[in-house]
Amino acid sequence: MANHSGLDTREAVLDAYVPLTEDPDLRAFCTQIFKHLSRVDQRRCAHAYVEALLTTPGKKSIRRLARAISASPAAAQSLRQFVNASPWNWEPVLHELATWAEGHSPAHAWTIGRAFLPKRGERSVGVHRHYDPTSNHTQNCQLGYGAFLCIDTAYIPVAWELSLPGPWTDDPYLRQQARVPDTQHYRPPWAHVLGLVDTLATRVKSAPLVADLSEDQDVNLLINGLNQRGQRFVIKVPHNLAVTMSQSLGVRQPLHASVHFTVPAQPLETLTVTTPGGGCRPTRVQSMRVHVQALRSGSPSERPFQLFTEMRTGNRPGAVWITNLPPQQLSDAVKLASYATGPAVAVSAMAQWFGLLDFEGRSFPGWHHHMSLVSAAYAYQRLGRSPRATSSEDGPADRR
């Protein structure tokens, strides 16, 4: 907890802090992103932390970051307090980050990613046993859902939600120790996605949502929630999603989504799809108009959606996608589907180069502070410099 000695130590550290580089772009960036922090020492700490994330090689532990910005032995405690205990609001920071990112170029799409943060102990907020499809292992971890703006070839994280399963919903002692707000409870994946969409709607211009919900058996709730909001979307869905064909060739009962692509009467289309890099590729696609179950009523949705898949060798259907874009925009939907993997690449880069997995704190505010600071550093690396100095999803360039 903050005390008078902590404040004195923090001020001494900040007095000793000298920026590692004379980078006016980084200074302007930090001034904008952290302008809502109420105290000067908080804004200085934020600048120092982001710069340390950008310049410290290897593991981004608090101790190593502190050594990068100050010779004071109290620097580590100062940064630890700033991330874990200082009562600054991360939402305005992420709002400014979204505004700054859109200042470079409007987002082609909103995309959703997941971040698995492995943990050894059981006291870090939200930690639980969870299956990670990337590593094909069940592990002790925190699970975060992030919203990313697809800008040119970059995926910029601008909003985060933390999954709080099991005891983190039910145990008052754990919640108090981790400073979990009363408003935060367990929500399924589709509800986290809707929450992130609602957050983005208050921060940036509208863009189609692209997300992989192929493991969520309640994705129909997301589909209808997005449609009610008037949100355009392209969603990867489970192969066993129950859908009913629109004017369905005599099929009256709902069938699994993938079954429809075995109906011989459905023609193949060859589309010319623009790739994210600006090229073109011919793509064989099968599509159809379908209805999905509306909310929890069990009745089909009134409005039909477009179900589609890219056909593989031997006319085998690939991943199944659903969209509310009109049929004449099917090539746009196929292109948007290719953006779904971008957040995973960004999360991997944030883990390897920007300290995403190196958070040492346990509290709910601390987790969000950490994710916001890492997101800011990553965004600056991807968009904050001239194209000549920026390298795809690589780590920080040598700036010293």
Side-chain angles (χ1 to χ4, degrees):
M1 300 294 291
N3 55 37
H4 291 297
S5 61
L7 287 173
D8 294 339
T9 298
R10 183 168 66 252
E11 289 169 354
V13 171
L14 291 169
D15 288 342
Y17 164 63
V18 176
L20 302 175
T21 62
E22 294 299 330
D23 185 344
D25 292 335
L26 179 60
R27 184 166 56 250
F29 170 79
C30 289
T31 298
Q32 176 179 345
I33 301 306
F34 301 110
K35 67 183 181 181
H36 293 287
L37 272 61
S38 60
R39 300 201 311 257
V40 172
D41 64 309
Q42 291 174 331
R43 296 193 290 273
R44 287 180 180 172
C45 248
H47 186 165
Y49 201 100
V50 168
E51 184 168 25
L53 288 174
L54 287 165
T55 57
T56 304
K59 184 177 177 63
K60 306 297 191 292
S61 67
I62 290 284
R63 193 172 299 278
R64 298 194 76 220
L65 296 177
R67 283 202 299 264
I69 63 169
S70 174
S72 169
Q77 178 58 30
S78 175
L79 288 186
R80 188 173 288 108
Q81 179 168 322
F82 171 68
V83 177
N84 286 314
S86 186
W88 53 276
N89 187 353
W90 59 89
E91 294 292 356
V93 169
L94 291 173
H95 195 148
E96 286 298 331
L97 187 61
T99 301
W100 176 86
E102 271 214 321
H104 288 73
S105 179
H108 308 307
W110 298 349
T111 55
I112 302 296
R114 295 185 299 180
F116 294 89
L117 285 68
K119 294 293 177 183
R120 293 181 180 178
E122 299 179 352
R123 307 299 290 274
S124 295
V125 62
V127 71
H128 64 291
R129 299 289 292 174
H130 192 89
Y131 172 71
D132 176 7
T134 302
S135 64
N136 196 30
H137 288 98
T138 298
Q139 58 183 327
N140 220 41
C141 68
Q142 294 168 315
L143 172 59
Y145 293 88
F148 294 71
L149 302 183
C150 177
I151 297 176
D152 297 328
T153 60
Y155 293 81
I156 306 301
V158 295
W160 289 98
E161 293 197 0
L162 177 64
S163 178
L164 294 171
W168 298 101
T169 292
D170 304 327
D171 190 324
Y173 176 77
L174 279 180
R175 293 175 63 88
Q176 181 181 17
Q177 290 298 303
R179 292 159 44 209
V180 179
D182 292 340
T183 56
Q184 297 295 317
H185 296 281
Y186 170 75
R187 286 185 290 163
W190 66 267
H192 279 294
V193 176
L194 273 184
L196 290 168
V197 167
D198 289 341
T199 297
L200 288 178
T202 67
R203 294 180 179 173
V204 294
K205 295 178 181 177
S206 179
L209 176 74
V210 182
D212 180 350
L213 272 292
S214 56
E215 297 178 10
D216 188 352
Q217 296 303 313
D218 291 325
V219 67
N220 59 300
L221 300 176
L222 171 64
I223 291 168
N224 284 283
L226 294 172
N227 206 49
Q228 288 177 343
R229 288 163 169 77
Q231 173 64 49
R232 296 167 291 163
F233 63 81
V234 179
I235 304 292
K236 186 178 179 181
V237 297
H239 280 75
N240 62 352
L241 175 69
V243 295
T244 303
M245 292 179 67
S246 181
Q247 301 175 348
S248 59
L249 300 175
V251 178
R252 297 184 179 181
Q253 297 298 320
L255 295 175
H256 291 167
S258 59
V259 172
H260 287 297
F261 293 117
T262 66
V263 179
Q266 299 305 309
L268 288 175
E269 298 179 62
T270 300
L271 304 175
T272 300
V273 178
T274 304
T275 62
C280 295
R281 62 181 174 90
T283 304
R284 296 166 62 247
V285 176
Q286 192 176 59
S287 67
M288 61 204 68
R289 303 291 280 171
V290 300
H291 299 273
V292 299
Q293 179 178 313
L295 300 179
R296 299 187 184 277
S297 67
S299 60
S301 58
E302 293 184 4
R303 175 179 174 176
F305 302 104
Q306 190 87 342
L307 198 73
F308 68 91
T309 185
E310 293 189 44
M311 302 303 290
R312 299 172 178 171
T313 304
N315 285 341
R316 293 181 298 111
V320 179
W321 300 81
I322 197 166
T323 182
N324 59 356
L325 296 181
Q328 60 269 28
Q329 294 183 22
L330 182 58
S331 61
D332 294 333
V334 175
K335 175 185 176 181
L336 285 167
S338 67
Y339 295 147
T341 58
V345 176
V347 167
S348 178
M350 293 165 71
Q352 183 174 2
W353 300 104
F354 297 89
L356 182 72
L357 306 183
D358 298 332
F359 177 51
E360 301 172 3
R362 294 178 175 177
S363 72
F364 183 88
W367 187 87
H368 279 280
H369 290 165
H370 168 73
M371 299 302 283
S372 300
L373 291 162
V374 171
S375 297
Y378 178 76
Y380 181 76
Q381 172 66 23
R382 294 293 283 121
L383 295 179
R385 305 183 213 174
S386 65
R388 180 180 303 175
T390 303
S391 56
S392 186
E393 296 292 344
D394 294 337
D398 186 357
R399 303 175 63 233
R400 285 181 278 184

